[in-house]
Amino acid sequence: MKSLIKKLVETPGPSGFEYQIRDVIREAIGNTADEIRVDALGSLIAKRGTRSESGMRVMISAHIDEIGLMVTHIDDNGFARFTNIGGINPLTCYGGRVLFMDGTRGVIGMDGIERGKTPKLTDLFIDVGATSKEDCPLKVSDVCGFERPFLDLGKRLVAKSMDDRIAAAIAIEVLRKLESTPHEVHFVFSTQEEVGLRGATTAAFGVDPDVGFAVDVTLSGDTPRRSTKMMTALGDGPAIKVRDSSFIADPRLVDWMVKTAQGAGIPYQLEVLEAGGTDGRAIQMTRSGVPAGCVSIACRYIHSPSEMVDFDDVDNAVKLLVKILSEPIKLD
Ligand code: CO
Ligand code: ZN
């Protein structure tokens, strides 16, 4: 599974430009799905199973886009200014490397660091090593993601775009491990989450699920001096989301997930996230409303080029989802 994770996190795919990562995912799914389609916003939807008497139509959503940058201006010396795609923190940019969709690489620079001053995005520029505007291979509208190789620290894994490629890896692994299901399961590899859950919104409308789950990363509360107190910690198990600032998970589904984890002896933690959102909201708010929940992976340094997760949490999230999808879901 680690080689799958490496492949997924190292492929660029800022929101709206998910065509490369979608191909990687399609190949990884192989013949484990009954049917694969791509909707108008580019989300890849892999269907598995037929709905039995006790089954439901279930949507599982993992977003495949990542935060990135888009070129807005190129100056006479070949330096490119940019705007953000999704939540970019300027603090994590300076000295970073970027990879454009066509393979062009560059570094992020600024004119000098002033002590104690946090740079703004407008202070930063991309330097691809050009000596003039004419020599610069970039054009306005080109997009890039961060470039950072996957780092396997054993139990802990580090990469850019663990948010949310780790969930894509989990969903693919669930497809591979799921032997039988009473449900009609739609695995949605959604686009444009980082710019407002856009892919999951149209995918949820199209799938029209009876129940849905997002799979995403969440903040971890286990770093030395976190100012916002939070219980989630790396290695304490997949987190069953109770709420974030985008939606409140259906309490019946939360109960069901907790009971399922307990019954199967899978470690879990409860997640109460004060700020942040996931595809769970898009599922819940589609059509006339859908019971929705979310399985989260605690992650350190989210939206930096070095996001860290715990491999046991990943493994246990796969087990929990396989278990949930293998049995009838009871909401009462
Ligand atoms: Co994110
Ligand atoms: Zn995410």
Side-chain angles (χ1 to χ4, degrees):
M1 190 180 180
K2 283 182 175 175
S3 63
L4 170 66
I5 296 170
K6 177 178 163 66
K7 182 85 184 135
L8 292 175
V9 297
E10 289 185 352
T11 304
S15 310
F17 301 86
E18 298 92 349
Y19 48 90
Q20 285 181 23
I21 183 66
R22 186 170 53 240
D23 286 347
V24 170
I25 284 173
R26 191 197 303 266
E27 197 187 314
I29 290 171
N31 56 9
T32 60
D34 301 334
E35 208 180 294
I36 291 180
R37 68 186 174 91
V38 175
D39 78 2
L41 265 71
S43 297
L44 185 147
I45 304 172
K47 186 180 147 206
R48 173 75 174 276
T50 39
R51 191 174 156 176
S52 73
E53 191 101 321
S54 61
M56 290 179 167
R57 188 178 301 130
V58 183
M59 172 167 163
I60 304 280
S61 192
H63 70 87
I64 59 171
D65 62 315
E66 63 179 323
I67 55 172
L69 310 173
M70 182 182 275
V71 175
T72 53
H73 177 269
I74 298 158
D75 74 14
D76 289 341
N77 296 315
F79 294 108
R81 299 285 173 169
F82 56 85
T83 188
N84 61 303
I85 299 175
I88 298 282
N89 185 338
L91 198 63
T92 65
C93 287
Y94 179 68
R97 297 180 186 192
V98 293
L99 174 62
F100 285 85
M101 299 305 289
D102 69 354
T104 301
R105 289 176 162 80
V107 298
I108 301 176
M110 59 187 275
D111 288 316
I113 302 175
E114 276 180 63
R115 279 179 75 93
K117 189 174 163 250
T118 308
K120 295 191 288 296
L121 275 191
T122 48
D123 295 328
L124 301 162
F125 47 78
I126 297 168
D127 184 344
V128 294
T131 53
S132 67
K133 191 174 193 170
E134 292 67 43
D135 182 39
C136 180
L138 301 178
K139 66 174 190 314
V140 167
S141 80
D142 280 348
V143 294
C144 61
F146 288 113
E147 185 182 30
R148 202 59 72 97
F150 173 65
L151 178 61
D152 180 357
L153 298 175
K155 192 166 149 52
R156 304 276 156 92
L157 311 176
V158 182
K160 61 99 180 155
S161 68
M162 280 295 181
D163 177 9
D164 192 24
R165 304 285 170 71
I166 197 63
I170 288 168
I172 291 166
E173 199 67 12
V174 171
L175 260 166
R176 290 173 178 175
K177 294 228 164 101
L178 188 64
E179 282 169 8
S180 72
T181 176
H183 309 293
E184 178 185 309
V185 191
H186 295 254
F187 292 85
V188 174
F189 297 87
S190 66
T191 55
Q192 300 194 40
E193 189 271 355
E194 297 289 357
V195 290
L197 320 176
R198 296 176 195 172
T201 299
T202 57
F205 190 95
V207 169
D208 189 13
D210 300 312
V211 62
F213 302 90
V215 186
D216 208 333
V217 295
T218 189
L219 298 176
S220 74
D222 59 355
T223 44
R225 281 169 51 195
R226 253 198 84 79
S227 50
T228 308
K229 292 294 172 207
M230 200 177 168
M231 289 299 287
T232 44
L234 265 61
D236 281 4
I240 296 170
K241 190 188 287 284
V242 177
R243 68 88 73 183
D244 60 29
S245 53
S246 75
F247 89 120
I248 297 164
D250 190 299
R252 298 167 301 172
L253 262 188
V254 171
D255 272 0
W256 176 249
M257 293 160 84
V258 165
K259 277 185 202 139
T260 304
Q262 286 172 341
I266 300 166
Y268 70 94
Q269 45 188 331
L270 291 176
E271 176 202 354
V272 176
L273 177 64
E274 293 187 43
T278 72
D279 283 350
R281 177 198 169 85
I283 299 169
Q284 186 176 59
M285 299 295 284
T286 197
R287 293 175 179 259
S288 49
V290 174
C294 176
V295 175
S296 299
I297 300 297
C299 180
R300 292 178 184 164
Y301 327 122
I302 291 185
H303 285 199
S304 85
S306 298
E307 300 175 324
M308 180 188 287
V309 299
D310 183 281
F311 191 59
D312 291 332
D313 290 345
V314 174
D315 197 41
N316 284 313
V318 172
K319 287 188 182 133
L320 180 58
L321 284 162
V322 167
K323 192 79 189 156
I324 285 169
L325 295 174
S326 298
E327 295 166 3
I329 296 169
K330 293 196 194 79
L331 293 179
D332 44 37

